[in-house]
C-alpha cells in the first residue's frame, strides 16, 4: 500500500492544489494529503472514501481567546484551500467536509481566561452538496442560567443529536433508509433522521 500511496503523497502538488501555497499548519498539510489522494482516486482504485484529519488544542481551560484565534486562523484557510481543490477537480458536489468534537465549552469563564468542558456544541459542514448559509437545529440562548443552561455554568442542552447529524451524512453517502436503524440504533428517538443540510 505504501508503494502505491507514497508517490501520490510525496509527488508535487497539482494545479488543483495551488490554494495550499503558503499554508504550513498541520491541518493544512493533512487536507492537502487528502486532496492529493482524492485526485488520484482512479489510480488508487478508491470510490467511496472517508478521511479523518484532526486539529487538537481546543481543550481551552486557559487563554482561550488567544488559542482559539490561532487555531481558527489555521483551520479557515486550510478548509478554504481544500474546497477550492475540490472545485478545481470538478468534484465539489461529491466531497463533504464536516467537523466533529467530543464536547463544547461552558459559557462561564474558568480561571486563567478559559472555559470548562460542556455539552451542546456547534458543528459545520462544507461542500458543493451542502445547503449552506443556514443553521440547522435550534440556536440556544447563550445566557448563564438562561432557558438552555442545564447547570448555571453555561452548559447548554443540545437540541439536535449526533445521530441526526450522522444520519444526514450517511444518507448522502448512500446508506439506505432501511439500514439507518442498524447503523444508528438511537435514531428512532428523534423526530427526524435527516436534518436536510445536504442535497
Amino acid at each position: 500500500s505504501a508503494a502505491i500511496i507514497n508517490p501520490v503523497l510525496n509527488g508535487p502538488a497539482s494545479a488543483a492544489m495551488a490554494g495550499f501555497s503558503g499554508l504550513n499548519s498541520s491541518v493544512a498539510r493533512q487536507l492537502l494529503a487528502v486532496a492529493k489522494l482524492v485526485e488520484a482516486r482512479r489510480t488508487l482504485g478508491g470510490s467511496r472514501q472517508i478521511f479523518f484529519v484532526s486539529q487538537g488544542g481546543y481543550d481551552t481551560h486557559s487563554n482561550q481567546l488567544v488559542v482559539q484565534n490561532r487555531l481558527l486562523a489555521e483551520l479557515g484557510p486550510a478548509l478554504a484551500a481544500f474546497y477550492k481543490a475540490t472545485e478545481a477537480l470538478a468534484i465539489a458536489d461529491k466531497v463533504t467536509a464536516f467537523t466533529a468534537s467530543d464536547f463544547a465549552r461552558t459559557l462561564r469563564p474558568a480561571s486563567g481566561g478559559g472555559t470548562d468542558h460542556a455539552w451542546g456544541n456547534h458543528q459545520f459542514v462544507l461542500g458543493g452538496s451542502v445547503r449552506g448559509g443556514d443553521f440547522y437545529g435550534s440556536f440556544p440562548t447563550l445566557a448563564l442560567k438562561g432557558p438552555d443552561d442545564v447547570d448555571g455554568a453555561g452548559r447548554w442542552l443540545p437540541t439536535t443529536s449526533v445521530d441526526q447529524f450522522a444520519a444526514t451524512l450517511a444518507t448522502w453517502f448512500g446508506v439506505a433508509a432501511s439500514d439507518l436503524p442498524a447503523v444508528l440504533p438511537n435514531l428512532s428517538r428523534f423526530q427526524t433522521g435527516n436534518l436536510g443540510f445536504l442535497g
Side-chain angles (χ1 to χ4, degrees):
S1 296
I4 296 169
I5 292 174
N6 282 341
V8 173
L9 294 178
N10 298 325
S14 71
M17 309 312 154
F20 285 96
S21 178
L23 299 181
N24 296 310
S25 67
S26 172
V27 70
R29 290 191 307 271
Q30 292 173 70
L31 286 168
L32 175 57
V34 171
K36 287 180 175 184
L37 291 170
V38 170
E39 183 177 22
R41 66 196 177 282
R42 290 186 181 90
T43 303
L44 299 174
S47 56
R48 295 183 182 183
Q49 300 167 291
I50 298 175
F51 299 95
F52 293 88
V53 301
S54 66
Q55 184 190 38
Y58 288 94
D59 195 2
T60 49
H61 290 281
S62 62
N63 206 22
Q64 181 167 293
L65 288 179
V66 172
V67 172
Q68 280 189 352
N69 282 341
R70 178 182 55 79
L71 291 170
L72 295 174
E74 293 174 357
L75 182 62
L79 283 171
F82 181 72
Y83 181 72
K84 287 176 186 171
T86 66
E87 286 185 315
L89 296 170
I91 55 167
D93 63 330
K94 294 175 177 51
V95 177
T96 298
F98 61 93
T99 57
S101 177
D102 293 338
F103 49 80
R105 311 305 300 178
T106 57
L107 297 176
R108 185 176 66 198
S111 61
T115 55
D116 293 320
H117 297 182
W119 189 3
N121 204 351
H122 304 287
Q123 304 299 337
F124 66 86
V125 186
L126 172 74
S129 292
V130 176
R131 295 178 178 139
D134 204 352
F135 287 101
Y136 293 85
S138 300
F139 198 85
T141 300
L142 300 178
L144 285 173
K145 300 182 181 177
D148 299 311
D149 184 353
V150 296
D151 69 351
R155 289 181 177 90
W156 47 273
L157 183 68
T159 61
T160 306
S161 76
V162 173
D163 298 78
Q164 292 170 289
F165 186 60
T168 307
L169 289 162
T171 300
W172 174 82
F173 205 72
V175 175
S178 59
D179 292 331
L180 285 174
V183 176
L184 299 157
N186 292 318
L187 187 60
S188 63
R189 297 176 182 221
F190 304 98
Q191 189 172 22
T192 180
N194 192 320
L195 300 174
F197 58 76
L198 283 164

